[in-house]
């Protein structure tokens, strides 16, 4: 977070800045992989294919009524901390953002195998929520529920902010980010499954299976005319480890 400068707003200078931005001859380069955001200026941008993954807590607006503020703060910190740890553990993950109780990320989509990273991050996150809920149960705290969405598509990455202020951000524009958010909004809400993926992600999972040779595509369900697939997939190692702990120390 940047500290504000408290420089008085000048509407005449603002008008000139608007004209400068709108009349600029920007170059948006087509690239094959997610570029380093540090190469962005206020004059350029990049088009590329990527995966976007979203995860957020269901009914988060009602959480303050269910938990004490200190408890809710701890839940948010624990949940966000470990989701970020999962996302950043994959080299294909190029950007992570936190907005309220939502965590979303941009993953590489340069080759077909890249789908395994974003999909692995999704089902590991699902298992992480199971681990967190076990911890909460041991402390007599009500469990949480999340939704996870994945989409693949084209994005435009640009830098936006007040030039010279040190306050700026990287903006990802295009269908892929919005679609991943839309997929996320369906998970554990419109459907009972925790993970929802778009058609492009589903297609990229073709031929891939887990350690038990179960095809990933077979783990998803699609309703007639729906443009997405949903399923409850977990990290088997984490799931077995947690079940062992539950047997030794039931909640």
């Amino acid at each position: 977070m940047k500290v504000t400068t408290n420089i008085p707003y000048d509407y005449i200078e603002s008008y000139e800045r608007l004209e400068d931005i709108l009349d600029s001859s920007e170059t948006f380069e087509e690239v094959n992989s997610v570029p380093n955001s540090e190469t962005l200026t206020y004059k350029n941008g990049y088009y590329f294919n990527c995966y976007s993954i979203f995860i957020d807590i269901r009914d988060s607006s009602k959480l303050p009524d269910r938990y004490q503020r200190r408890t809710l703060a701890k839940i948010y910190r624990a949940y966000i901390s470990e989701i970020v740890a999962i996302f950043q553990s994959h080299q294909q993950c190029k950007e992570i953002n936190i907005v309220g109780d939502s965590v979303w990320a941009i993953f590489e989509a340069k080759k077909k195998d890249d789908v395994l990273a974003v999909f692995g991050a999704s089902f590991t996150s699902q298992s992480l929520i199971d681990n967190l809920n076990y911890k909460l149960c041991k402390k007599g705290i009500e469990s949480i529920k999340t939704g996870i969405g994945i989409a693949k598509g084209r994005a435009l990455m640009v830098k936006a902010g007040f030039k010279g202020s040190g306050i700026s951000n990287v903006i990802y524009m295009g269908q892929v980010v919005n679609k991943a958010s839309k997929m996320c909004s369906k998970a554990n809400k419109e459907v009972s499954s925790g993970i929802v993926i778009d058609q492009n992600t589903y297609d990229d999972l073709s031929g891939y299976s887990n350690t038990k040779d179960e095809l990933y595509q077979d783990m998803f369900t699609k309703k007639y005319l729906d443009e997405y697939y949903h399923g409850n997939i977990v990290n088997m190692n984490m799931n077995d480890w947690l079940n062992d702990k539950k047997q030794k120390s039931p909640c």
Side-chain angles (χ1 to χ4, degrees):
M1 181 178 294
K2 301 291 186 179
V3 178
T4 58
T5 61
N6 298 316
I7 296 174
Y9 177 71
D10 186 322
Y11 62 88
I12 296 176
E13 289 185 1
S14 170
Y15 187 84
E16 293 174 353
R17 287 196 299 268
L18 292 175
E19 186 174 8
D20 181 59
I21 292 171
L22 295 176
D23 290 345
S24 65
S25 56
E26 298 180 341
T27 58
F28 298 142
E29 184 182 353
E30 297 272 358
V31 293
N32 294 324
S33 59
V34 181
N36 188 331
S37 60
E38 293 182 357
T39 63
L40 285 172
T41 70
Y42 290 106
K43 298 289 186 179
N44 69 352
Y46 300 102
Y47 284 111
F48 53 87
N49 288 324
C50 65
Y51 295 99
S52 179
I53 178 171
F54 263 77
I55 177 169
D56 68 12
I57 300 176
R58 297 287 79 121
D59 297 321
S60 56
S61 62
K62 299 177 182 178
L63 295 184
D65 298 327
R66 291 166 49 192
Y67 303 100
Q68 294 181 350
R69 282 178 292 182
R70 290 179 60 188
T71 299
L72 184 56
K74 291 179 180 179
I75 292 173
Y76 271 41
R77 282 178 174 172
Y79 147 75
I80 292 173
S81 166
E82 297 313 300
I83 294 299
V84 169
I86 290 169
F87 286 0
Q88 66 86 38
S89 69
H90 296 275
Q91 66 178 8
Q92 290 87 350
C93 181
K94 301 303 180 181
E95 188 86 19
I96 301 174
N97 290 271
I98 302 168
V99 182
D101 64 291
S102 300
V103 184
W104 65 274
I106 296 294
F107 277 67
E108 194 85 80
K110 188 163 60 173
K111 57 185 186 297
K112 188 174 184 293
D113 279 356
D114 290 334
V115 70
L116 297 179
V118 68
F119 184 55
S122 71
F123 64 66
T124 301
S125 296
Q126 181 111 308
S127 290
L128 178 274
I129 299 303
D130 291 338
N131 286 355
L132 174 58
N133 282 333
Y134 173 68
K135 280 283 190 182
L136 295 178
C137 181
K138 296 288 283 184
K139 294 180 178 296
I141 300 172
E142 189 177 351
S143 65
I144 64 170
K145 186 178 288 188
T146 61
I148 301 171
I150 306 174
K152 180 190 179 185
R154 198 162 177 257
L156 170 61
M157 183 173 75
V158 298
K159 182 178 182 180
F162 182 20
K163 189 175 181 180
S165 68
I167 300 174
S168 64
N169 203 355
V170 176
I171 308 297
Y172 292 88
M173 305 167 63
Q175 288 283 343
V176 63
V177 177
N178 293 334
K179 196 170 187 180
S181 177
K182 185 178 179 181
M183 297 295 100
C184 176
S185 70
K186 297 177 182 297
N188 270 327
K189 199 170 186 178
E190 293 185 23
V191 296
S192 59
S193 304
I195 300 176
V196 176
I197 63 176
D198 73 342
Q199 184 71 54
N200 289 336
T201 305
Y202 179 83
D203 290 344
D204 282 353
L205 287 172
S206 174
Y208 291 116
S209 61
N210 62 16
T211 54
K212 295 183 178 181
D213 290 328
E214 298 167 322
L215 290 173
Y216 286 135
Q217 284 188 332
D218 292 344
M219 300 178 187
F220 285 93
T221 300
K222 180 185 180 183
K223 294 182 181 178
Y224 182 64
L225 296 181
D226 280 345
E227 296 181 353
Y228 60 87
Y229 297 79
H230 59 93
N232 281 312
I233 300 94
V234 296
N235 182 307
M236 293 305 299
N237 290 333
M238 291 176 67
N239 187 66
D240 293 343
W241 178 84
L242 180 60
N243 286 336
D244 183 60
K245 289 189 73 68
K246 287 180 176 179
Q247 288 181 357
K248 294 177 179 177
S249 180
C251 177

